[in-house]
């Protein structure tokens, strides 16, 4: 399989911002909503390009989500973006009732996802958003891996989803390595590296780390499979069951709490269909803290080095079973 | 195509009584639900659906209809009874309220397919934001329809109401008319004991709204104030409607214990007789 190269570091929030402009051009009914912080959540380009379709609501996220529901009930397609900690957590009740129970096509951007948010510290690092968003009926949850894919995810949220959709993206400049030609199909994961001894199922920024781990493992004679789970819900059960059956061991990796996140979601499928040993990379039931993104990814054991460690551990576990 | 409007106060009063009867019958049959607020809002619902709103029971999704957002989903019984009497669905269906498989959920749920519902709601404090979104959409598209929203007074203790209030005046949404069911009661007792809301009119004024007050049981007064609200330029209007919880059944009027209680089947006859006397 091809080896992915970094085309240059770029924050996924920029991919989100570009994607929102694209869908604004594609569909006149796309409306932007802002709760201040527009530049840091990727809404400033849309606000500039479509002044008559962008509305500022101030620092009032709960109202924004309710307004989005009202717009959607009137035939508009609102896009509301703010930090994931607010989008997913402060407005959970509004999302649950006004948006999800009414099953409305509202696109929610969850910025500043993951520990790589860095120096802002625990309050602003969204590490629980996947868990809370994926538990809501009718909600689709997307977690693209780089800026190029985040742009595609926004377009997919317009074209392929007809209900509520949450798109998670980060702040730090991270390797941009996928191609615009790589189809983004909601609910269909991407096999990025083929291998049969274990599978790394990964989402968001850590996809790049998982690929680096797989390349290094290959050099050491260990064949690992890398699956980019860019859609957390609906999750690609087929790919997970196939990986369990063919490789017999699964590691999940995410910049998110292990409980309830990608790890939990994959474990549910594995336990129900084809139990195999699993290992989890992610936040282990703690808050984050301030630091540089790379320092934090290292402290909380999310880099390729730790994925390799887990890979070796899980191969031993396979032998014991 | 729009619904025929009723102007005679006598006729409106007769419809309000019929709504109250159906509220009591459906709640007694259901065995749980919210009686006090449902009875208290019967005159306002009558006025809206039989005099004010442009709507069409034969075509509930009519593009140019006025929108009614019920933010306080717990008073669904009065909404259901009104919709049934207006012809949205057969009155017999009111007896399925809160039962398994019914389109009449305890709190409105559009996914169950009842015609005439604009919003699934029940978590307090959310409806005004939704109404703001709708009104904004109407403004963007230069539509003539209006958005009406109905709120409880206790509900105004929710902070998100004030976020929404701030935004409605910011965007000069004069196509939005919000009605407050000011019965001064909530589940735990008097709103002034649970959390003081006064000076309520001043609060709304300071948030940039046109503020009107009315007697929520006087059809002519409600009509007059809504017509005044329609004339208002550049501001949303809130109408603080003074009401009596449980209105129409003297023995339970103004008693907060009847917020979330229903008549027993053996009480129903007596309550219906009290309606006749009222
Ligand atoms: Mg009250």
């Amino acid at each position: 399989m091809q080896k992915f190269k970094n085309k240059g570091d770029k924050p996924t929030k920029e991919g989100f911002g570009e994607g929102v402009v694209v869908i604004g051009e594609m569909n006149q009914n796309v409306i932007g909503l802002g709760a201040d912080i527009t530049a840091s959540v990727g809404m400033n380009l849309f606000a500039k390009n479509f002044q008559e379709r962008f509305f500022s609501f101030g620092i009032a996220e709960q109202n924004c989500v309710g307004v989005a529901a009202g717009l959607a009930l009137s035939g508009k397609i609102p896009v509301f973006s703010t930090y994931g900690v607010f989008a997913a957590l402060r407005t959970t009740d509004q999302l649950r009732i006004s948006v999800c129970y009414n099953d409305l096509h509202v696109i929610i951007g969850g910025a500043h996802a993951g520990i790589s948010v860095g120096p802002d510290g625990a309050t602003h690092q969204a590490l629980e958003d996947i868990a809370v968003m994926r538990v809501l009926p009718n909600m689709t949850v997307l977690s693209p891996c780089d800026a190029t894919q985040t742009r595609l995810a926004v377009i997919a949220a317009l074209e392929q989803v007809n209900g509520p959709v949450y798109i998670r993206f980060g702040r730090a400049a991270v390797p941009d390595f996928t191609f615009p030609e790589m189809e983004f199909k909601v609910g269909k994961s991407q096999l990025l590296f083929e291998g049969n001894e274990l599978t790394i199922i990964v989402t968001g920024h850590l996809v790049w780390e998982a690929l680096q781990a797989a390349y290094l493992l290959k050099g050491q004679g260990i064949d690992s499979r890398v699956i980019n789970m860019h859609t957390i819900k609906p999750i690609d059960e087929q790919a997970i069951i196939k990986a369990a059956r063919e490789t017999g061991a699964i590691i999940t990796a995410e910049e998110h709490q292990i409980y309830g996140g990608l790890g939990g979601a994959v474990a549910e499928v594995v336990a129900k269909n084809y139990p195999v040993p699993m290992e989890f990379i992610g936040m282990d039931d703690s808050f984050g803290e301030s630091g540089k993104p790379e320092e934090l990814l290292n402290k909380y054991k999310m880099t390729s080095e730790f994925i390799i460690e887990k890979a070796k551990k899980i191969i031993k576990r396979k032998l014991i079973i | 195509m729009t619904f025929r409007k009723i102007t005679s106060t006598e006729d409106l009063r007769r419809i309000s009584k019929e709504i109250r009867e159906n509220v009591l019958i459906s709640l007694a049959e259901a065995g749980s639900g919210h009686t006090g607020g449902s009875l208290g809002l019967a005159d306002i619902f009558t006025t809206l659906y039989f005099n004010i709103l442009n709507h069409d029971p034969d075509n509930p999704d009519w593009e140019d209809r006025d929108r009614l957002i019920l933010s306080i989903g717990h008073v669904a019984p009065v909404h259901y009874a009104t919709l049934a009497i207006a012809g949205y669905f057969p009155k017999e269906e009111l007896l399925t309220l809160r039962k398994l498989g019914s389109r009449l959920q305890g709190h409105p749920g559009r996914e169950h397919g009842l015609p005439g519902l604009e919003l699934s709601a029940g978590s307090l404090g959310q409806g005004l934001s939704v109404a703001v979104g709708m009104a904004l959409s109407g403004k963007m598209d230069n539509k003539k329809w209006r958005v009406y929203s109905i709120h409880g007074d206790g509900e105004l203790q929710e902070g998100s109401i004030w976020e929404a209030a701030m935004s409605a005046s910011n965007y000069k949404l004069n196509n939005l008319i919000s009605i407050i069911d000011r019965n001064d009661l909530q589940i735990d007792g008097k709103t002034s004991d649970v959390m003081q809301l006064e000076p309520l009119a001043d609060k709304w004024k300071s948030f940039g709204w046109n503020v009107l007050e009315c007697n929520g049981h006087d059809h002519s007064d409600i009509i007059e104030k809504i017509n005044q609200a329609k004339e208002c330029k550049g501001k949303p209007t809130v109408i603080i409607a003074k009401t009596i919880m449980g209105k129409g059944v003297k023995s339970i009027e103004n008693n907060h214990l009847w917020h979330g209680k229903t008549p027993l089947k053996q009480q129903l006859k007596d309550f219906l007789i009290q309606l006749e006397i009222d």
Side-chain angles (χ1 to χ4, degrees):
Chain A
M1 294 195 91
Q2 65 176 323
K3 207 167 165 180
F4 288 96
K5 290 198 176 69
N6 183 5
K7 296 176 280 173
D9 286 354
K10 187 175 175 181
T12 46
K13 77 169 175 203
E14 285 183 19
F16 180 83
E18 291 165 16
V20 176
V21 170
V22 172
I23 64 169
E25 278 158 6
M26 286 168 70
N27 191 319
Q28 294 291 314
N29 286 323
V30 172
I31 310 289
L33 301 178
D36 210 13
I37 58 170
T38 45
S40 61
V41 300
M43 287 302 287
N44 52 328
L45 272 180
F46 184 96
K48 206 177 112 198
N49 290 14
F50 306 100
Q51 281 171 25
E52 71 296 344
R53 281 195 270 148
F54 178 80
F55 297 93
S56 167
F57 279 90
I59 307 168
E61 296 83 5
Q62 298 173 68
N63 185 41
C64 275
V65 171
V67 168
L71 287 165
L73 282 162
S74 319
K76 309 292 184 203
I77 306 168
V79 182
F80 169 53
S81 181
T82 184
Y83 296 151
V85 284
F86 308 137
L89 303 172
R90 174 170 283 153
T91 75
T92 312
D93 188 31
Q94 279 76 14
L95 284 173
R96 175 172 179 263
I97 299 299
S98 290
V99 175
C100 289
Y101 190 35
N102 284 280
D103 199 9
L104 301 174
H105 194 188
V106 171
I107 300 172
I108 304 287
H112 276 40
I115 192 82
S116 61
V117 166
D120 278 345
T123 57
H124 284 58
Q125 295 160 347
L127 294 167
E128 300 82 11
D129 54 328
I130 291 178
V132 175
M133 291 298 95
R134 87 178 180 91
V135 81
L136 296 175
N138 295 334
M139 182 67 92
T140 294
V141 183
L142 306 180
S143 170
C145 66
D146 67 359
T148 298
Q149 186 159 80
T150 306
R151 184 173 175 278
L152 295 179
V154 177
I155 298 167
L158 175 77
E159 291 187 318
Q160 298 176 35
V161 185
N162 203 21
V165 47
Y166 179 81
I167 308 175
R168 177 179 213 253
F169 52 91
R171 172 178 185 268
V174 292
D176 188 36
F177 59 95
T178 63
F179 304 99
E181 304 77 42
M182 285 169 64
E183 193 193 7
F184 187 100
K185 205 158 175 314
V186 172
K188 185 90 188 86
S189 64
Q190 293 172 327
L191 177 65
L192 297 186
F193 198 69
E194 185 57 283
N196 282 317
E197 288 181 80
L198 68 120
T199 303
I200 307 161
I201 299 179
V202 56
T203 196
H205 294 167
L206 297 191
V207 173
W208 175 256
E209 294 294 328
L211 284 170
Q212 303 318 301
Y215 302 154
L216 288 166
L217 283 166
K218 178 100 180 162
Q220 298 172 25
I222 298 170
D223 274 337
S224 59
R225 178 180 300 186
V226 177
I227 292 174
N228 172 20
M229 196 60 76
H230 57 58
T231 305
I232 308 286
K233 187 183 176 183
I235 201 149
D236 187 350
E237 295 200 8
Q238 273 190 327
I240 297 170
I241 296 166
K242 190 167 183 279
R245 187 171 286 138
E246 292 176 1
T247 71
I250 292 175
I251 298 171
T252 59
E254 63 200 301
E255 277 195 60
H256 185 273
Q257 302 290 350
I258 291 166
Y259 299 166
L262 172 72
V266 171
E268 287 161 15
V269 177
V270 169
K272 199 166 109 183
N273 296 281
Y274 200 93
V276 295
M278 284 189 69
E279 291 286 338
F280 304 92
I281 287 194
M283 289 303 280
D284 191 7
D285 198 23
S286 77
F287 284 103
E289 62 183 296
S290 292
K292 289 181 190 148
E294 56 276 18
E295 289 171 343
L296 292 166
L297 288 167
N298 197 49
K299 172 162 182 185
Y300 291 95
K301 303 186 173 173
M302 296 180 191
T303 58
S304 56
E305 173 191 344
F306 295 99
I307 298 174
I308 290 170
E309 208 173 85
K310 291 274 191 205
K312 291 180 176 167
K313 183 177 168 198
I314 208 167
I315 280 180
K316 278 191 198 140
R317 282 184 63 195
K318 258 175 88 175
L319 291 176
I320 294 163
I321 285 171
Chain B
M1 175 69 195
T2 173
F3 199 62
R4 186 177 54 88
K5 297 193 174 186
I6 294 172
T7 48
S8 137
T9 338
E10 201 182 315
D11 288 343
L12 290 170
R13 255 192 243 127
R14 185 183 43 75
I15 295 166
S16 292
K17 186 167 143 273
E18 193 184 347
I19 290 173
R20 287 190 169 95
E21 283 164 3
N22 280 283
V23 162
L24 290 171
I25 293 166
S26 62
L27 281 167
E29 177 65 29
S32 71
H34 300 80
T35 307
S38 296
L39 291 173
L41 278 163
D43 303 301
I44 289 169
F45 269 87
T46 304
T47 310
L48 285 168
Y49 274 89
F50 293 88
N51 183 280
I52 300 289
L53 296 180
N54 290 312
H55 68 118
D56 180 2
D58 295 326
N59 185 11
D61 300 325
W62 175 40
E63 177 80 25
D64 293 323
R65 72 192 183 281
D66 288 324
R67 273 72 169 165
L68 183 114
I69 293 292
L70 178 62
S71 188
I72 40 175
H74 61 271
V75 297
V78 69
H79 200 185
Y80 296 155
T82 308
L83 289 172
I85 292 165
Y88 279 86
F89 56 88
K91 274 188 256 180
E92 304 80 70
E93 201 174 340
L94 292 171
L95 296 174
T96 69
L97 174 67
R98 289 181 165 243
K99 291 186 175 162
L100 186 65
S102 173
R103 300 197 289 178
L104 283 68
Q105 293 289 297
H107 294 78
R110 288 161 68 241
E111 68 175 21
H112 297 272
L114 194 73
L117 298 179
E118 299 287 355
L119 182 72
S120 306
S123 173
L124 298 180
Q126 298 191 18
L128 190 56
S129 300
V130 177
V132 166
M134 285 183 160
L136 190 62
S137 178
K139 281 266 173 202
M140 285 179 76
D141 298 341
N142 293 312
K143 296 288 186 189
K144 292 233 161 51
W145 48 263
R146 288 188 170 80
V147 183
Y148 295 84
S149 64
I150 297 185
H151 306 272
D153 50 2
E155 184 189 18
L156 306 181
Q157 292 156 357
E158 289 281 3
S160 57
I161 286 284
W162 301 99
E163 293 184 6
M166 207 187 302
S167 67
S169 58
N170 182 80
Y171 286 109
K172 303 183 169 57
L173 301 177
N174 64 328
N175 55 345
L176 169 62
I177 298 172
S178 298
I179 300 171
I180 311 295
D181 178 24
R182 184 63 169 129
N183 56 18
D184 197 26
L185 291 177
Q186 56 193 108
I187 295 187
D188 272 4
K190 283 171 79 83
T191 53
S192 49
D193 291 336
V194 179
M195 178 51 70
Q196 181 61 268
L197 291 165
E198 295 297 338
L200 188 57
D202 289 345
K203 283 192 174 74
W204 286 98
K205 271 176 210 154
S206 73
F207 273 74
W209 286 58
N210 175 39
V211 183
L212 301 173
E213 299 186 36
C214 79
N215 175 346
H217 302 304
D218 178 340
H219 302 92
S220 323
D221 194 28
I222 301 166
I223 293 171
E224 192 188 315
K225 296 299 154 54
I226 292 178
N227 285 333
Q228 279 180 34
K230 286 181 182 175
E231 296 306 313
C232 180
K233 303 266 181 283
K235 280 179 180 186
T237 292
V238 62
I239 301 175
I240 300 173
K242 191 77 197 88
T243 59
I244 296 166
M245 185 184 272
K247 171 73 180 171
V249 180
K250 269 279 176 301
S251 62
I252 68 165
E253 278 183 5
N254 218 3
N255 180 353
H256 71 93
L257 297 175
W258 278 88
H259 168 96
K261 202 163 107 172
T262 54
L264 300 169
K265 284 195 176 156
Q266 55 269 35
Q267 279 177 312
L268 182 59
K269 200 171 158 198
D270 170 49
F271 282 19
L272 292 173
I273 292 167
Q274 291 191 52
L275 277 186
E276 292 296 330
I277 301 163
D278 187 70

